[in-house]
Amino acid sequence: MPHLTAPADARRTAGGEQLGFGVPGYAHPLLAPAEWAGLARPGTPLHWAVLNIADGPGSRPDPHCLEAAGRLHNARERALHGGSPDDTVRASGGRLLGHLDLAHGERPFEELIADARSFIDWYRIGGFYLARCPTERAGLPAVRRLTGTLHALLAESDSADDGGRLVLGHGTQPYPGYAEAADQLVTFQGPWTDYRWSQVAEWTADYPPERFAHFVHGVPRTHLEEAMRIARWQGAGTIFFTDRDDRSGQSDPFATLPRYWDEIVSRIGPGISE
């Protein structure tokens, strides 16, 4: 077990939460059909998956993305509102999130809102993943303005239940005030070699595990149990672990399924999606 710094509250709850998957964005459905089909399979404890066409919604609706979005939307509807007995646990009831690149606070507000409207109109998404979100205190007011507007847009649409879901893709632990700006924060994104020795910020103990997500690449199959133990210990309720890495010419290790996908699904088991 790695050395971790965890608040007392986190230690008391470690191991008791139901983990689920957050998928930061597979390759285009035409290039990764198996990955997208697997997300709608009953028994997959999916919290959410990100749709990213061209660092956003693209310039027009993409028929392959429309099909993939429709399958995931239908799976969520079956899970939430009936269907087979297996669906009553909402095992494949994950949300589809539109990818908005904040470029660390450099993108204009109007551009982001235009992309958000396209995602809602074309793909009926149930929330947004705000990639490259600022982490410093100075960027917080602009992010709050953006998330407030996005929540309002989602509330007006007929595709997002419960007002939709917003995930801030920091990739590291941000200024604590960001926890009040969205529904969930990605507080770790990186390699297993860093994750297994990582430490958790004490302020995260003030929030339940469903408020945090961890993305880890290069996780060996033999260390899956340890990785899940770390996630629970650090108070993360949403994970994506993969044995893929950023070497061997692969620029995005999260763009394909891990080789042990079926194994990690079975280890986590069907869970209640958010």
Side-chain angles (χ1 to χ4, degrees), residues 160-238:
D161 49 72
D162 301 327
R165 188 164 187 79
L166 300 181
V167 179
L168 302 183
H170 302 288
T172 189
Q173 296 184 40
Y175 174 72
Y178 283 93
E180 302 302 325
D183 302 292
Q184 191 174 55
L185 281 62
V186 179
T187 53
F188 185 93
Q189 180 170 337
W192 166 244
T193 50
D194 291 343
Y195 188 61
R196 68 183 309 191
W197 304 108
S198 61
Q199 297 182 346
V200 62
E202 292 188 4
W203 64 264
T204 62
D206 295 333
Y207 299 91
E210 60 263 26
R211 300 298 303 278
F212 303 103
H214 292 169
F215 300 153
V216 189
H217 61 78
V219 182
R221 180 190 298 270
T222 53
H223 289 276
L224 269 178
E225 201 63 44
E226 181 184 359
M228 288 189 286
R229 191 160 61 242
I230 293 171
R232 291 188 176 102
W233 183 261
Q234 294 203 24
T238 301

Side-chain angles (χ1 to χ4, degrees), residues 19-76:
L19 292 174
F21 295 120
V23 179
Y26 284 144
H28 189 280
L30 185 62
L31 302 176
E35 281 81 354
W36 283 99
L39 295 181
R41 187 176 65 185
T44 302
L46 178 68
H47 289 171
W48 45 263
V50 177
L51 179 64
N52 183 13
I53 293 89
D55 287 329
S59 59
R60 62 181 62 84
D62 182 298
H64 301 287
C65 294
L66 286 170
E67 182 180 357
R71 282 199 302 266
L72 194 59
H73 181 77
N74 291 338
R76 178 173 173 81

Side-chain angles (χ1 to χ4, degrees), residues 129-146:
Y129 179 80
L130 279 59
R132 297 201 291 171
C133 184
T135 60
E136 302 299 328
R137 183 175 183 174
L140 181 56
V143 171
R144 280 179 171 162
R145 179 193 179 201
L146 176 62

Side-chain angles (χ1 to χ4, degrees), residues 78-129:
R78 289 195 303 270
L80 294 178
H81 304 298
S84 66
D86 288 343
D87 282 337
T88 60
V89 295
R90 299 167 64 180
S92 61
R95 300 175 188 269
L96 184 66
L97 307 182
H99 180 281
L100 297 177
D101 184 359
L102 271 60
H104 306 295
E106 296 299 319
R107 285 197 66 199
F109 175 83
E110 292 76 14
E111 284 186 11
L112 292 165
I113 295 303
D115 280 356
R117 291 185 184 278
S118 295
F119 266 122
I120 292 173
D121 293 343
W122 299 342
Y123 300 108
R124 301 186 65 200
I125 49 87
F128 293 100
Y129 179 80

